[in-house]
Amino acid sequence: MEQGLTRAVAAPRLSAAARRRQLREKAVAGFITLMAFTGIAALVLIIVFVAKEALTLFTDADARHEASLSKMFLAQEGRYPFRWQPVSDTPKVSMIPLFVGTLKITLVSMLVAVPMGVFSALFVAEFAPRRLRELLKPVIELLAGIPSVVLGFFALMVLSPMVKNLFNLDRPLNGTLAGLALALAIVPVIFTVSEDALTAVPRSYREASLALGATLWETAWKVVLPAAAPGILAACVLGFGRAIGETMIVLMASGNADIVSWNLGDSARSLSATIAAEMGEVVVGSPHYALLFFIGVELFIFTFVLNMAASAWTKKVLQRLTGSAS
């Protein structure tokens, strides 16, 4: 009888505790959902704001006359058909030097950073002893915590004379120097994501390869590396996006000259560095102001298309690895 009364009294208490626990779980879930949608909303608002400011180029008659699409992307008459001089008696707003400079610097940085980051990750994940792995990984990742302005200053004061003398270049600030300095900033990104992708490859893949007589190097190169290809591609895409959007390193090390030249020894001017160098002094509401926002839209479109292409390629690789036809 007493046990029955005890259960009858405890039942409502348990139900109340369960209801409080459910309320707490709903509150936590609601908070997490709110934070997720806040991030999405912030991204959408940024895109809308940048696009709204850039639309002035197409809605304002004076802006269309000064910075039309033909003036931005086609050769103009004169000695220099492609020039970026938005502040002058006759403004010249060609985007071609900015595109060439951006791609030149980014390609140099990727040619250095991708092999360095991927093979460092492969060594750490597959060959390095445990103690060496525990030392190398945080040291390489520590580069990500160095401010970009410090890397730019290091390139300006230390790397510049070394690169100039090593490659016998005429200009101390050039595309090669900016690309090498930029590689220092994106190596940690590529290394970290690649190492995670390599570590996530199932151990059974390695054991099966070794059981068939493959060496450790053959297993790492022909089994583990292809299996981690989607993750490594994601690392390269993240690194490329970081390189495209990097500002201070390029601003300090590239020379900021609007030269249409694929010569790596020439100075260069990138899209992001142009925004950083000119936004502080531009007249708000002017065609020049709208041009800088238009450059921001171009950077967004470029990275978006790159991510979509990388995503499509990753799906094809996963389908080939899993043997799925869908």
Side-chain angles (χ1 to χ4, degrees):
M1 186 67 178
E2 293 179 356
Q3 292 180 352
L5 291 174
T6 303
R7 290 176 181 175
V9 173
R13 293 180 181 175
L14 291 175
S15 299
R19 284 196 298 270
R20 286 194 299 270
R21 185 168 59 251
Q22 290 178 354
L23 289 175
R24 285 196 301 268
E25 291 176 353
K26 289 181 179 179
V28 172
F31 177 77
I32 295 173
T33 303
L34 177 63
M35 292 298 101
F37 279 101
T38 300
I40 296 173
L43 177 61
V44 172
L45 290 176
I46 291 172
I47 295 172
V48 169
F49 170 72
V50 174
K52 172 180 172 295
E53 297 295 334
L55 279 177
T56 307
L57 290 177
F58 306 98
T59 58
D60 184 76
D62 293 335
R64 287 199 306 269
H65 175 73
E66 182 175 320
S68 62
L69 291 177
S70 62
K71 292 182 178 180
M72 284 190 283
F73 299 104
L74 300 179
Q76 303 299 307
E77 297 180 358
R79 182 179 178 183
Y80 301 102
F82 302 106
R83 296 304 300 269
W84 174 263
Q85 293 178 340
V87 181
S88 64
D89 295 335
T90 304
K92 299 178 179 63
V93 294
S94 177
M95 296 284 180
I96 304 303
L98 309 186
F99 286 145
V100 172
T102 300
L103 292 177
K104 181 167 63 174
I105 295 170
T106 303
L107 289 177
V108 171
S109 66
M110 294 299 290
L111 287 174
V112 175
V114 170
M116 188 182 298
V118 172
F119 286 115
S120 298
L122 186 64
F123 172 75
V124 169
E126 299 299 320
F127 301 104
R130 183 178 62 84
R131 291 185 177 180
L132 183 60
R133 184 186 305 118
E134 293 176 352
L135 174 65
L136 285 178
K137 187 173 181 179
V139 168
I140 296 176
E141 292 177 347
L142 186 64
L143 284 173
I146 300 177
S148 58
V149 66
V150 175
L151 292 176
F153 186 73
F154 174 76
L156 187 66
M157 303 303 297
V158 179
L159 290 182
S160 178
M162 295 173 57
V163 171
K164 184 177 182 296
N165 296 329
L166 180 63
F167 296 103
N168 194 23
L169 302 177
D170 296 330
R171 295 178 175 85
L173 303 180
N174 50 69
T176 300
L177 175 65
L180 292 175
L182 191 55
L184 296 177
I186 62 178
V187 160
V189 177
I190 297 176
F191 169 82
T192 301
V193 181
S194 297
E195 199 270 339
D196 290 341
L198 291 166
T199 306
V201 175
R203 186 174 180 82
S204 58
Y205 286 26
R206 300 174 176 85
E207 294 174 348
S209 177
L210 295 172
L212 291 173
T215 63
L216 287 175
W217 169 249
E218 289 174 336
T219 299
W221 180 254
K222 297 182 179 180
V223 177
V224 178
L225 198 63
I232 293 174
L233 176 65
C236 294
V237 171
L238 288 174
F240 192 84
R242 169 73 190 276
I244 285 286
E246 179 56 48
T247 301
M248 287 306 302
I249 296 175
V250 180
L251 185 63
M252 298 176 69
S254 65
N256 291 311
D258 56 332
I259 300 174
V260 182
S261 169
W262 290 103
N263 185 354
L264 299 179
D266 290 336
S267 297
R269 189 181 186 93
S270 72
L271 294 166
S272 56
T274 299
I275 297 175
E278 300 178 5
M279 182 59 75
E281 299 178 357
V282 69
V283 177
V284 176
S286 65
H288 185 195
Y289 179 81
L291 269 171
L292 297 180
F293 278 94
F294 185 72
I295 292 175
V297 173
E298 290 174 336
L299 287 170
F300 171 78
I301 294 175
F302 193 82
T303 53
F304 178 77
V305 171
L306 176 67
N307 285 325
M308 293 298 293
S311 176
W313 188 85
T314 301
K315 289 180 181 179
K316 290 183 180 180
V317 171
L318 288 174
Q319 290 174 4
R320 186 169 67 249
L321 291 174
T322 59
S324 175
S326 58

